[in-house]
Amino acid sequence: MRILLVEDDPDLSRALQSGLERQGVVADVVDNLAAAAEALREPVHQLLLLDRQLPDGDGMAFVATARALRPNLAVIMLTAKGELSDKVEGLDVGADDYLVKPVAIEELMARIRAVARRPTEMLAPVLKLGRLQFDFESLQASVDGQQLALPRRQVLVLQALALRQGRTVTRSALEEAVYGFDDEIQSNALDAHISKLRKALQQAGAGVEIHVIRGVGYLLGEA
């Protein structure tokens, strides 16, 4: 999953970004609402994690803007304003959830998984293909019940392919799913991740294959 974090406290944003990425989430960070609006014009984020008190306005009022730009975008408010009236107002303006700082990464991930269960985000909680199972909530891949120990980038590649199982995923779409705004992408980095993931799936006897659709992208299908 790739999310947009809108937070103007640099220490907090770095801590949240690091914690989320350890959980397999690509987190892009901006520190104002204008930058958030610009980022949301490209449909690469599945969720918006939004502070309220920002240099150019109240994040609460930005929810409507975010919905106009991306109608199916999940929105979680993450703010220091924790009065009951604040929470009610946040939910009433259209946020899917409202969390008060500070929050443990484990709880934040649970809330993210909860809003990601919406039918517009995925059709089933678990992909079963060949002997492979991929759990979209835990981001765990297993073969015949045996968990695969995959590095984070390979997990993100597999997630992107699994979400579109049976359909071709373009190279640019895979890069958007795997890399954040601040990541430097080497020319052959994605190819290396796909090659290693393909080898791991083959060695585990997953019964699936990542097919190369020449000039277009990649497709996850049964071997």
Side-chain angles (χ1 to χ4, degrees), residues 25-177:
V25 174
V26 175
D28 295 316
V29 179
V30 295
D31 61 5
N32 62 77
L33 297 176
E38 186 64 27
L40 290 179
R41 296 185 191 282
E42 296 295 329
V44 299
H45 300 101
Q46 290 79 52
L47 184 141
L48 174 65
L49 192 57
L50 181 63
D51 190 13
R52 282 198 60 177
Q53 297 171 301
L54 292 157
D56 53 349
D58 187 339
M60 190 85 77
F62 183 74
V63 175
T65 301
R67 292 288 189 214
L69 291 168
R70 298 279 308 283
N72 293 326
L73 183 72
V75 179
I76 297 178
M77 301 293 303
L78 180 60
T79 171
K81 297 175 72 67
E83 296 294 328
L84 177 59
S85 58
D86 295 318
K87 297 178 183 179
V88 171
E89 184 182 2
L91 296 172
D92 281 347
V93 299
D96 296 284
D97 204 346
Y98 191 107
L99 286 171
V100 179
K101 302 173 186 176
V103 62
I105 287 294
E106 292 79 5
E107 180 182 1
L108 178 57
M109 281 302 305
R111 301 296 186 100
I112 289 173
R113 289 193 295 268
V115 299
R117 293 189 190 109
R118 297 183 308 168
T120 54
E121 294 299 323
M122 61 180 63
L123 297 177
V126 178
L127 168 79
K128 297 181 180 180
L129 184 67
R131 297 167 61 198
L132 172 72
Q133 290 193 2
F134 185 81
D135 189 314
F136 290 106
E137 291 188 18
S138 65
L139 297 182
Q140 296 292 337
S142 60
V143 174
D144 293 340
Q146 296 296 312
Q147 184 175 319
L148 301 181
L150 298 174
R152 184 174 69 89
R153 300 288 191 195
Q154 292 179 38
V155 169
L156 293 172
V157 170
L158 183 56
Q159 179 190 31
L161 292 170
L163 280 168
R164 303 165 182 82
Q165 181 264 320
R167 292 178 288 160
T168 301
V169 184
T170 65
R171 184 183 185 86
S172 61
L174 279 177
E175 288 180 341
E176 289 171 353

Side-chain angles (χ1 to χ4, degrees), residues 142-220:
S142 60
V143 174
D144 293 340
Q146 296 296 312
Q147 184 175 319
L148 301 181
L150 298 174
R152 184 174 69 89
R153 300 288 191 195
Q154 292 179 38
V155 169
L156 293 172
V157 170
L158 183 56
Q159 179 190 31
L161 292 170
L163 280 168
R164 303 165 182 82
Q165 181 264 320
R167 292 178 288 160
T168 301
V169 184
T170 65
R171 184 183 185 86
S172 61
L174 279 177
E175 288 180 341
E176 289 171 353
V178 173
Y179 298 103
F181 287 159
D182 299 327
D183 291 329
E184 292 187 10
I185 307 175
Q186 301 297 323
S187 60
N188 63 342
L190 181 63
D191 299 306
H193 294 315
I194 292 172
S195 176
K196 291 175 181 177
L197 174 60
R198 182 185 284 120
K199 183 177 180 180
L201 293 171
Q202 183 179 21
Q203 289 180 339
V208 300
E209 186 173 345
I210 300 173
H211 301 277
V212 179
I213 311 301
R214 192 171 299 278
V216 182
Y218 301 88
L219 180 148
L220 181 68

